[in-house]
Amino acid sequence: MLNSQYSPSEIEARWYQQWEERGYFEPSLDLNKPSFAIQLPPPNVTGTLHMGHAFNQTIMDGLTRYHRMKGENVCWIPGSDHAGIATQIVVERQLAAENITRHDLGRDAFIAKIWDWKKFSGGTITEQMRRVGCSVDWSREYFTMDETRAEVVSEVFVRLFQQGLIYRGKRLVNWDPVLGTAVSDLEVENIEENGHMWHIRYPLADDPTQSLIVATTRPETLLGDVAVAVHPEDERYASFIGKQLLLPLSGRTIPVIADEYVDKDFGTGCVKITPAHDFNDYEVGKRHQTALVNVLALDATILPQAEVFNFQGQVQPAISLPAQYAGMDRFKARKQMVADLQEQGLLVKVEEHKLMTPKGDRTGSVIEPMLTNQWFVAMTRTPDNGVYAEPESEFKGKTLTEKCIHAVESGQVRFIPENWVNTYNQWMNNIQDWCISRQLWWGHQIPAWYDQHGQVYVARNEAEALAQAGADAVLTRDEDVLDTWFSSALVPFSTLGWPENTPELKAFLPSQVLVTGYEIIFFWVARMIMMTTHFTGKVPFHDIYIHGMVRDHEGKKMSKSEGNVIDPVDLIDGIDLPELLIKRTTGLRRPEKAPKVVKDTEKLFPNGIPVFGADALRFTMASYASLGRTINFDFKRAEGYRNFCNKLWNASRFVLMNVENQDCGQDETLPLTYSFVDQWLLTRLQQTISAVTEALDTYRFDMLAQTLYEFIWNEYCDWYVELAKTQLQKGDAAQQRATRRTLVRVLETVLRLLHPVMPFITEELWQTLAPLANAKQTDSIMLAAWPVADESLIQPPAMEQMTYLQDLINSVRNLRGEMGLAMSVKVPLLIQSSHDLGDLLPYLPMMARLSEAQQVERLPETDDAPVAVCQGARLMLKVEVDKAAERLRLHKEAEKLQKKIDKIDAKLSKPGYAEKAPAHLVEKDRLELAELEEKMTQISKQLEKYQ
């Protein structure tokens, strides 16, 4: 018998261990079966999993369990990402707390420290995944910097280099001066700030009395100007085009050029062109083949001499810069330059100006477009299929960008929701070569060596490089590491044994679906497509399920700086308030927020977070999974689904108490008499099976959750279980047998439908119920067959009859409410109807708290008793009413209600409340007021009857 109380902690620990030990998570590798594969987006080893991970892992595990139950060859591959910059920063901060820098340790010792951190963080992540219930194949777990992945990374780099798709060059990149490395666009946050627009006079070289006024937000880069651009159709400046200007503060002259990039209606219509310090200017400079004048050092200070290059990367003679700025920080130099311009009469005016400032998401420092030597992957170059020819496929010979576009246009890869195709195509059509080098210590060190003459050799290892360079060469390895996205882009095939043609590659590439967030469509999703199609000739996956971001209950992004991050395990296990406060305030990036974080936490969780269990958390996540929608996580909803678990548990206990050691219809030779109520439930079960299956096939987990919740709570528990009590008490042996059979078989089927999103409680209940339903053909519900709808069991007449019964019961309940009858008071019901209600009447007494239900030819005439009409039938409760007592009771209830209404009304009417209070609280007050006013209306109607 089941325990009287549902205890998720005990169940979850026991079952996950058994599943893992018995090897249920591992694929069969039977290539004759349909295969279903899924790759876990590898979480960064920078800490712990968050609610977003719990969300997408619920979706992935739900799909995995569903396809496993369908009998497919299922493989869900787990792993974690080394997360170069993020992980290096975490460890550097730990060292900083001890007043140690990575340079104090040296590269090898520092990397050893990071490996120690990886063991701790990676272990925490895998434990969290187990707690959530992820049925991943742990025997295939990988780390993007493990030995196998390192070999694949080197192999891919060498092949791309040999094909002419990797090159080293001096290009403009996002540069974080604090980290001292190039960073990707994903690591740059554009933040709107209040700034200034400086209007500066650039005199004509041959007539300083004439000048052009240039408006700029970055006067500190003025020393790197190579031209001033105007629009070719701007009549104001037509006579200036081709002339030379004196560059303020420098003594150099620069030309006036015409380019359609300039917006003649913005500012003065004159734009300073600084191609070494601005991405747009870089493109203008390339079109006009100007010089590239770099005036900033890598730490964002002013150089004593500007470095000059042409667009072919060749070094040009250096340019001396004013000595007073040398070594000065860029922003300090800005102030000094503005002061000097004003002193020289070249500063026309300064305007306040809103601007978007690019900042590093890790350091908060302003990102500088910087001209540096970096390694790049060519996005629009056709590969040289000489040494390493691409595999034969429809993708062969296309550029990496063309491969990405073709994979989606051909329908081999589809986005869900489909609207993300537009975002994807926009990125692809505006793609730039991919900067893959980073000036870090943690990551895959670039497999390139330089000899004493600066010649580069790309090879899998130093011995291979030396073989290329010759025995006399002295080699030094490139110190840079690869962008994290480079190694993670190889995951679809690096985890399946490539470059060998393994059985795993045949079975699990392409995988069926990738579940991920929208923010990395370009940085990870697109790059997996380009790398996988290039090296295998196959797409990496067929479907890309894009989910929204999980935010807090007020719609704010969950972040450590806000102090609103919740660990999924805290919801599963529960956590008391003191410990929760410590977790939410420890390590706050903005410590000044601590008082507000404490206040908000105490308000939201006055007693801490209760135990929800993994199943309630997973079902909550599934219920939120509307395609592409941002999720505001509400703990009240999670509480509701914890109650749902309790409801399922208690319903199962009731069923077991009524069927254990009883005839449940397992002997097919004995007669079974199914009532219209049984047939209705079996009909609804078939419809539910179809709806849930369709929901899983279309990734509509929200529809799955809604369908199962309504069927289990409303139809099975609230209706059928209650109606079954009448059948078990009053039915003959054949009907009782059919009722018990229906109770156990429907519940057993529902447990299988529910298992993908609520694996633990369904396993526990199924182990007890399945034998009674004659359905225990396997040792675990994980391996039980997925239900298939049986259309022969769909009975429309039973549906109609059940609808009539439900309407009758609801009408009687409303009558009782109107008369204010307590639940303990049982009274007779009289029904006048032209239809024979004989099959329905036995169910009414128990369901509507009646002493009896009787069908009569005509209702008695009376002024006191209210009458309800339901589908042509007239219903009357036969009860004597004390009018004076009833009036008094109703007046007292009305007084209480009015006090509540006045209180909320005053709150909502208070000036500024509706505008300043959180929207969800205002809406809650309005809904409560509407509900109270509706109750007052009903009481007023009752009072009118007793005047």
Side-chain angles (χ1 to χ4, degrees):
M1 188 61 187
L2 295 173
N3 292 333
S4 59
Q5 296 290 326
Y6 165 56
S7 175
S9 301
E10 184 272 330
I11 294 171
E12 291 166 10
R14 173 163 43 84
W15 277 116
Y16 195 91
Q17 183 179 359
Q18 289 190 39
W19 291 333
E20 189 175 353
E21 288 175 353
R22 294 175 183 177
Y24 292 160
F25 301 159
E26 299 172 15
S28 67
L29 277 179
D30 183 352
L31 299 184
N32 294 317
K33 287 184 177 181
S35 290
F36 177 85
I38 192 167
Q39 291 273 357
L40 175 79
N44 296 341
V45 287
T46 51
T48 60
L49 298 184
H50 51 64
M51 295 296 279
H53 293 115
F55 178 77
N56 65 29
Q57 287 174 14
T58 294
I59 303 302
M60 286 183 278
D61 192 50
L63 292 169
T64 300
R65 290 177 183 272
Y66 166 56
H67 285 275
R68 189 182 287 120
M69 293 175 76
K70 288 176 70 177
E72 297 176 11
N73 180 25
V74 173
C75 186
W76 183 12
I77 300 176
S80 53
D81 196 290
H82 65 280
I85 291 177
T87 306
Q88 180 162 317
I89 289 175
V90 166
V91 177
E92 284 198 80
R93 284 175 178 161
Q94 293 171 353
L95 292 174
E98 303 174 24
N99 294 319
I100 302 173
T101 70
R102 61 185 165 111
H103 300 286
D104 294 333
L105 292 178
R107 184 165 188 153
D108 290 343
F110 177 70
I111 290 174
K113 284 279 187 185
I114 298 183
W115 276 106
D116 289 340
W117 167 255
K118 183 268 171 188
K119 290 175 186 175
F120 167 76
S121 177
T124 302
I125 287 170
T126 57
E127 179 57 27
Q128 285 179 298
M129 289 181 64
R130 286 177 164 89
R131 296 304 313 279
V132 173
C134 296
S135 58
V136 298
D137 182 359
W138 291 111
S139 69
R140 298 177 187 275
E141 184 182 6
Y142 68 89
F143 178 54
T144 54
M145 270 190 63
D146 62 28
E147 187 175 340
T148 300
R149 258 45 61 180
E151 290 176 359
V152 173
V153 166
S154 294
E155 184 68 28
V156 164
F157 191 98
V158 168
R159 292 192 186 193
L160 289 174
F161 181 80
Q162 294 294 338
Q163 292 171 338
L165 297 182
I166 280 183
Y167 64 93
R168 182 169 168 82
K170 189 175 285 290
R171 294 277 301 276
L172 210 57
V173 296
N174 295 316
W175 185 265
D176 188 319
V178 173
L179 289 177
T181 181
V183 295
S184 71
D185 290 343
L186 187 64
E187 292 150 334
V188 178
E189 295 178 329
N190 289 297
I191 300 172
E192 186 177 67
E193 293 184 334
N194 294 319
H196 296 88
M197 181 80 78
W198 288 270
H199 293 249
I200 303 169
R201 189 185 308 281
Y202 284 53
L204 271 175
D206 57 2
D207 183 4
T209 63
Q210 296 188 64
S211 60
L212 293 183
I213 309 300
V214 172
T216 180
T217 60
R218 301 196 65 208
E220 69 275 13
T221 63
L222 174 150
L223 300 176
D225 289 359
V226 297
V228 169
V230 298
H231 195 279
E233 296 176 2
D234 194 335
E235 296 177 357
R236 295 174 295 175
Y237 306 119
S239 62
F240 285 83
I241 296 172
K243 292 187 177 182
Q244 294 288 315
L245 300 173
L246 291 172
L247 180 61
L249 306 179
S250 75
R252 285 194 293 123
T253 61
I254 57 174
V256 178
I257 61 175
D259 196 281
E260 291 184 351
Y261 160 70
V262 179
D263 181 355
K264 59 184 179 181
D265 298 320
F266 179 76
T268 63
C270 301
V271 178
K272 64 192 283 295
I273 302 302
T274 322
H277 296 286
D278 184 277
F279 289 104
N280 292 319
D281 291 3
Y282 184 89
E283 296 302 320
V284 175
K286 186 190 291 185
R287 284 195 291 274
H288 295 269
Q289 286 298 296
T290 67
L292 292 154
V293 179
N294 177 44
V295 300
L296 290 176
L298 296 180
D299 62 355
T301 57
I302 305 296
L303 290 167
Q305 282 194 318
E307 301 169 337
V308 185
F309 308 89
N310 61 22
F311 276 89
Q312 288 69 49
Q314 297 167 328
V315 179
Q316 307 294 299
I319 296 175
S320 294
L321 299 177
Q324 66 267 32
Y325 307 128
M328 193 176 288
D329 175 78
R330 54 185 163 166
F331 297 121
K332 188 175 179 182
R334 172 188 290 181
K335 291 181 181 179
Q336 186 61 51
M337 289 180 186
V338 169
D340 291 346
L341 287 168
Q342 188 167 20
E343 184 179 338
Q344 295 176 25
L346 297 176
L347 184 64
V348 179
K349 63 177 180 178
V350 182
E351 295 177 328
E352 291 188 354
H353 178 69
K354 290 266 188 188
L355 72 160
M356 301 302 292
T357 303
K359 292 191 175 183
D361 66 345
R362 308 291 178 186
T363 61
S365 63
V366 176
I367 295 298
E368 194 67 49
M370 191 74 76
L371 200 63
T372 57
N373 282 312
Q374 303 287 348
W375 290 89
F376 294 89
V377 176
M379 295 287 102
T380 56
R381 187 182 297 172
T382 303
D384 177 358
N385 282 301
V387 180
Y388 296 107
E390 298 176 74
E392 293 295 331
S393 75
E394 61 193 279
F395 297 99
K396 185 176 181 180
K398 297 180 183 296
T399 67
L400 293 176
T401 301
E402 289 169 344
K403 294 178 200 291
C404 286
I405 294 172
H406 178 71
V408 174
E409 283 186 347
S410 65
Q412 295 180 67
V413 174
R414 65 171 183 153
F415 281 90
I416 302 164
E418 192 176 350
N419 61 287
W420 286 108
V421 171
N422 299 327
T423 302
Y424 176 82
N425 286 336
Q426 184 179 12
W427 278 329
M428 289 300 104
N429 291 326
N430 293 281
I431 201 167
Q432 300 290 323
D433 285 356
W434 174 14
C435 176
I436 56 172
S437 48
R438 297 289 182 267
Q439 290 63 54
L440 303 170
W441 286 1
W442 174 244
H444 290 280
Q445 196 168 350
I446 287 175
W449 285 260
Y450 302 90
D451 65 14
Q452 60 270 40
H453 308 296
Q455 195 71 21
V456 64
Y457 304 94
V458 171
R460 295 168 184 81
N461 50 57
E462 187 172 3
E464 192 175 290
L466 194 60
Q468 295 178 33
D472 296 334
V474 178
L475 298 182
T476 304
R477 187 167 185 175
D478 194 311
E479 291 191 353
D480 288 356
V481 300
L482 285 164
D483 176 14
T484 298
W485 299 107
F486 188 91
S487 53
S488 59
L490 315 181
V491 159
F493 56 94
S494 70
T495 56
L496 297 174
W498 187 91
E500 302 300 322
N501 188 21
T502 63
E504 286 84 354
L505 269 175
K506 295 175 183 176
F508 304 128
L509 188 73
S511 61
Q512 272 57 47
V513 59
L514 174 74
V515 181
T516 188
Y518 63 86
E519 70 277 6
I520 54 174
I521 289 176
F522 175 69
F523 296 96
W524 188 46
V525 177
R527 286 165 178 168
M528 282 193 288
I529 295 174
M530 68 176 64
M531 289 296 190
T532 307
T533 53
H534 184 74
F535 286 102
T536 72
K538 300 178 182 179
V539 295
F541 29 71
H542 290 304
D543 292 343
I544 306 168
Y545 175 97
I546 302 295
H547 61 75
M549 179 180 289
V550 180
R551 298 178 179 270
D552 72 8
H553 68 291
E554 293 182 345
K556 295 178 182 176
K557 181 180 178 181
M558 290 190 182
S559 67
K560 289 181 180 178
S561 61
E562 290 292 332
N564 59 354
V565 173
I566 293 291
D567 184 338
V569 175
D570 288 343
L571 271 83
I572 293 171
D573 289 343
I575 182 172
D576 62 25
L577 183 60
E579 188 176 351
L580 180 59
L581 289 173
I582 291 171
K583 289 189 75 169
R584 296 192 105 181
T585 54
T586 299
L588 265 180
R589 290 177 189 164
R590 296 168 65 183
E592 70 276 9
K593 281 203 165 193
K596 183 178 185 303
V597 170
V598 169
K599 185 178 178 181
D600 290 349
T601 303
E602 290 176 331
K603 185 177 180 181
L604 192 59
F605 310 107
N607 300 310
I609 300 177
V611 176
F612 287 100
D615 288 319
L617 173 62
R618 288 168 63 112
F619 200 84
T620 305
M621 293 304 188
S623 73
Y624 277 125
S626 297
L627 295 180
R629 195 191 73 174
T630 296
I631 298 149
N632 295 347
F633 190 86
D634 186 354
F635 293 89
K636 290 294 182 184
R637 183 179 284 205
E639 188 174 355
Y641 292 135
R642 182 188 58 190
N643 294 339
F644 177 58
C645 291
N646 286 328
K647 184 85 168 181
L648 181 63
W649 186 268
N650 291 332
S652 300
R653 290 188 74 246
F654 167 81
V655 170
L656 288 170
M657 284 189 290
N658 282 275
V659 303
E660 278 189 313
N661 303 317
Q662 299 283 334
D663 184 351
C664 298
Q666 292 182 354
D667 187 345
E668 304 286 350
T669 64
L670 296 176
L672 295 164
T673 302
Y674 289 98
S675 69
F676 73 90
V677 176
D678 301 324
Q679 293 172 341
W680 161 77
L681 187 70
L682 292 171
T683 297
R684 286 293 300 121
L685 177 64
Q686 310 318 307
Q687 294 169 338
T688 300
I689 291 171
S690 297
V692 171
T693 302
E694 182 181 1
L696 284 164
D697 288 339
T698 56
Y699 309 112
R700 290 302 304 267
F701 278 75
D702 56 331
M703 299 306 297
L704 173 150
Q706 180 183 335
T707 300
L708 286 172
Y709 184 91
E710 290 179 355
F711 180 79
I712 294 169
W713 189 296
N714 298 334
E715 296 175 319
Y716 186 82
C717 294
D718 285 357
W719 283 104
Y720 184 76
V721 166
E722 296 303 315
L723 293 168
K725 293 175 183 177
T726 297
Q727 297 183 168
L728 291 173
Q729 290 174 9
K730 299 181 178 180
D732 59 22
Q735 187 180 49
Q736 290 179 352
R737 190 180 299 115
T739 301
R740 285 191 287 265
R741 180 183 173 110
T742 304
L743 278 168
V744 296
R745 293 204 171 190
V746 171
L747 183 53
E748 187 277 332
T749 303
V750 163
L751 292 174
R752 281 184 282 144
L753 291 174
L754 196 54
H755 178 73
V757 289
M758 298 178 79
F760 296 106
I761 190 172
T762 53
E763 180 75 273
E764 182 75 8
L765 296 175
W766 186 85
Q767 291 292 334
T768 304
L769 280 159
L772 298 172
N774 204 24
K776 199 171 190 302
Q777 309 301 322
T778 65
D779 291 332
S780 169
I781 193 173
M782 278 185 65
L783 309 178
W786 181 254
V788 178
D790 183 350
E791 292 190 6
S792 68
L793 295 177
I794 296 177
Q795 299 290 327
M799 294 287 289
E800 294 175 9
Q801 219 171 349
M802 184 62 186
T803 299
Y804 195 1
L805 176 60
Q806 290 174 315
D807 288 347
L808 284 174
I809 292 169
N810 288 330
S811 295
V812 176
R813 288 172 175 172
N814 290 337
L815 268 178
R816 292 182 63 99
E818 288 180 22
M819 298 179 71
L821 292 176
M823 291 296 291
S824 59
V825 177
K826 294 186 178 182
V827 295
L829 173 70
L830 303 179
I831 305 176
Q832 177 186 324
S833 176
S834 58
H835 300 288
D836 181 6
L837 304 179
D839 289 345
L840 280 60
L841 293 178
Y843 299 101
L844 293 174
M846 181 175 290
M847 297 299 291
R849 310 293 293 173
L850 302 171
S851 59
E852 64 173 327
Q854 182 181 357
Q855 185 170 358
V856 297
E857 290 187 8
R858 184 178 296 278
L859 296 180
E861 297 294 334
T862 177
D863 294 330
D864 295 342
V867 175
V869 178
C870 174
Q871 294 197 26
R874 301 177 71 234
L875 303 95
M876 177 187 288
L877 290 173
K878 193 176 179 181
V879 60
E880 293 293 331
V881 178
D882 183 337
K883 292 184 179 181
E886 188 63 10
R887 273 199 306 271
L888 181 61
R889 186 188 69 80
L890 290 171
H891 275 301
K892 288 182 178 179
E893 191 172 344
E895 287 175 5
K896 291 179 182 177
L897 275 175
Q898 191 60 51
K899 288 180 181 178
K900 292 180 179 178
I901 289 171
D902 292 344
K903 184 178 179 181
I904 297 177
D905 195 39
K907 185 179 180 182
L908 288 169
S909 301
K910 188 177 180 181
Y913 173 72
E915 292 76 25
K916 296 178 182 178
H920 71 285
L921 294 180
V922 176
E923 181 63 19
K924 180 183 176 183
D925 290 337
R926 287 173 175 161
L927 290 173
E928 187 176 352
L929 180 62
E931 186 179 332
L932 292 172
E933 289 175 338
E934 175 61 26
K935 286 182 180 179
M936 181 64 84
T937 300
Q938 295 302 321
I939 288 175
S940 298
K941 288 180 180 179
Q942 291 182 57
L943 276 169
E944 288 176 6
K945 295 176 183 178
Y946 301 117
Q947 295 303 324

